[in-house]
Amino acid sequence: MTRLFRSPLLHFLILGIALYLAQPWLREDATSARDFQIKIDAERLIELERGFLQQAGRRPLPEDVNRMIETEADEEILYREAVARGLFERDGGVQTRLIQKMLFLEGETELKDAPSLLARAVELGLHQQDVVVRRILIQKMKLLGSTLESAQAPSDEEIEHSYRELAESLRSPDRLTLVHTFLNRDKRGANLDTQASDLLAVLKNEEIGSKEGPRRGDPFPLGHHLEHRSQNDLERTFGARFGESAFASGIGEWTGPIASAYGAHLIFISERTPGEIPPLTRVANKLRLQLEEKRRDANLNILLAELRTQYRVVVERSPALTDAPNSQEPG
């Protein structure tokens, strides 16, 4: 019997039963605590403004502040609606997290009364203060609000129409096959540009082919022969603008020099392969997912628009903050 009572499986079962019994209390508490006013104080606005400054490298404009306020209000609305609609009481992971936090706060090591612990956690507002819990509930509400009805599933005809509209954007990128003669910046120093131009003239005047050309330059650790590389491929290897310059070069002749993070390159393009539009069968599932995602987003936007009419957002501002409207009335 002692081994049975110490079993983690038994503890988990008891916790599940206790959480189930606590649901009516949680539902009543969530209903009585409804508040349709959202207050964003000056301190929170300063935090948002600082976060924007760190990410964007500039102070937010009034329209940036308004977008941050709208996002903040929307997340608070989604959180409150998640609690009000019982998503809180249906998520065992959320409740377990709150119970574990209460055990830690009260210095307990054994679970004796899960409903009581959960009740005290909610009384203390741990479900509001815990960033993880809030994110989980907001995400669950977003998933609920973006659920697709069966009638919204994309039909084959809609997928074919999307394929025709997006055909060019689905085209694979053009690709180049080339060799390059490399001049090392560290080795050539201040004479790099002059030596590159002089070597280009030699390669052209002596009609040196693509096999011999790379030997006139310096070793390159990634190789001199590149096959079927897209513009993005080239720029990932050599740095920004290299691919753009390469694709602007002629075929069957030495061109350059093109600068890279390593030095200078003289290139000889032997082949340019145009991109192809993949058949519908290969991209149908991708297009289906894109259509579904658009419709999920639309569903969530419709829900948010409806919910915003029920809430009043009050914004407190300090003189240091960017000017913007002081409050947003419902509707």
Side-chain angles (χ1 to χ4, degrees):
M1 290 296 292
T2 301
R3 184 180 302 174
L4 175 63
F5 283 119
R6 291 179 179 175
S7 169
L9 181 60
L10 178 61
H11 292 172
F12 182 80
L13 178 61
I14 293 172
L15 177 59
I17 294 172
L19 293 177
Y20 176 78
L21 294 175
Q23 287 185 9
W25 176 87
L26 290 170
R27 187 181 297 111
E28 181 180 351
D29 179 79
T31 302
S32 62
R34 292 303 303 270
D35 181 5
F36 292 97
Q37 177 172 291
I38 295 173
K39 184 178 179 180
I40 302 176
D41 59 27
E43 183 178 352
R44 179 56 181 156
L45 272 183
I46 291 173
E47 290 178 4
L48 293 173
E49 191 174 64
R50 286 174 179 167
F52 184 96
L53 178 61
Q54 291 176 352
Q55 292 186 358
R58 64 173 177 83
R59 288 182 60 84
L61 301 173
E63 53 267 31
D64 299 319
V65 175
N66 287 336
R67 279 194 295 269
M68 290 189 289
I69 290 172
E70 182 176 308
T71 300
E72 185 81 0
D74 283 349
E75 290 194 349
E76 179 63 21
I77 290 171
L78 290 171
Y79 167 75
R80 294 188 189 183
E81 288 297 318
V83 174
R85 298 185 186 205
L87 302 187
F88 170 64
E89 66 191 56
R90 296 178 215 158
D91 194 297
V94 168
Q95 296 180 17
T96 299
R97 179 177 175 84
L98 295 179
I99 290 172
Q100 289 173 341
K101 294 190 75 169
M102 281 304 302
L103 286 172
F104 175 78
L105 289 175
E106 297 185 356
E108 299 289 340
T109 58
E110 295 184 5
L111 177 65
K112 297 177 181 178
D113 188 355
S116 178
L117 286 171
L118 186 58
R120 292 201 296 276
V122 174
E123 287 175 2
L124 292 174
L126 297 186
H127 61 306
Q128 296 175 328
Q129 301 165 13
D130 192 292
V131 175
V132 174
V133 170
R134 287 181 63 88
R135 285 177 180 171
I136 290 173
L137 293 177
I138 289 170
Q139 187 59 31
K140 287 176 75 73
M141 191 62 200
K142 285 182 177 180
L143 291 173
L144 179 64
S146 61
T147 301
L148 291 181
E149 302 290 340
S150 57
Q152 291 183 293
S155 65
D156 292 341
E157 291 75 15
E158 289 172 325
I159 293 173
E160 290 177 9
H161 178 71
S162 179
Y163 176 72
R164 290 192 297 272
E165 280 193 331
L166 301 175
E168 283 303 317
S169 66
L170 295 170
R171 183 186 294 276
S172 61
D174 293 356
R175 297 183 179 274
L176 297 179
T177 294
L178 60 89
V179 299
H180 68 104
T181 300
F182 173 59
L183 288 85
N184 190 308
R185 177 178 285 108
D186 294 336
K187 178 180 178 181
R188 308 281 176 163
N191 296 322
L192 174 66
D193 293 337
T194 300
Q195 292 182 16
S197 297
D198 291 345
L199 180 55
L200 176 62
V202 171
L203 295 176
K204 284 186 171 183
N205 293 336
E206 297 183 11
E207 297 183 353
I208 295 174
S210 58
K211 291 184 179 181
E212 175 64 21
R215 299 173 186 170
R216 301 294 183 96
D218 301 322
F220 189 72
L222 301 180
H224 294 87
H225 298 263
L226 306 172
E227 294 187 357
H228 305 298
R229 304 297 177 92
S230 69
Q231 181 172 324
N232 286 339
D233 293 337
L234 292 173
E235 293 183 354
R236 277 195 295 268
T237 301
F238 298 100
R241 301 290 180 85
F242 189 97
E244 181 181 350
S245 299
F247 271 82
S249 302
I251 298 176
E253 60 179 349
W254 287 103
T255 59
I258 301 177
S260 77
Y262 310 100
H265 306 257
L266 310 174
I267 66 173
F268 187 98
I269 300 173
S270 59
E271 182 182 8
R272 178 167 181 159
T273 306
E276 297 180 347
I277 298 175
L280 174 59
T281 52
R282 192 190 304 171
V283 295
N285 190 54
K286 175 183 177 181
L287 295 173
R288 183 189 303 278
L289 293 175
Q290 288 178 350
L291 289 172
E292 288 179 351
E293 186 65 21
K294 287 182 181 179
R295 291 173 187 182
R296 291 182 194 278
D297 290 344
N299 286 352
L300 180 58
N301 288 334
I302 291 171
L303 173 64
L304 272 171
E306 179 183 346
L307 292 175
R308 289 183 192 123
T309 64
Q310 303 174 27
Y311 286 82
R312 180 172 181 265
V313 180
V314 178
V315 181
E316 290 184 349
R317 299 178 183 276
S318 70
L321 292 173
T322 310
D323 292 332
N326 288 328
S327 65
Q328 300 175 16
E329 297 291 342

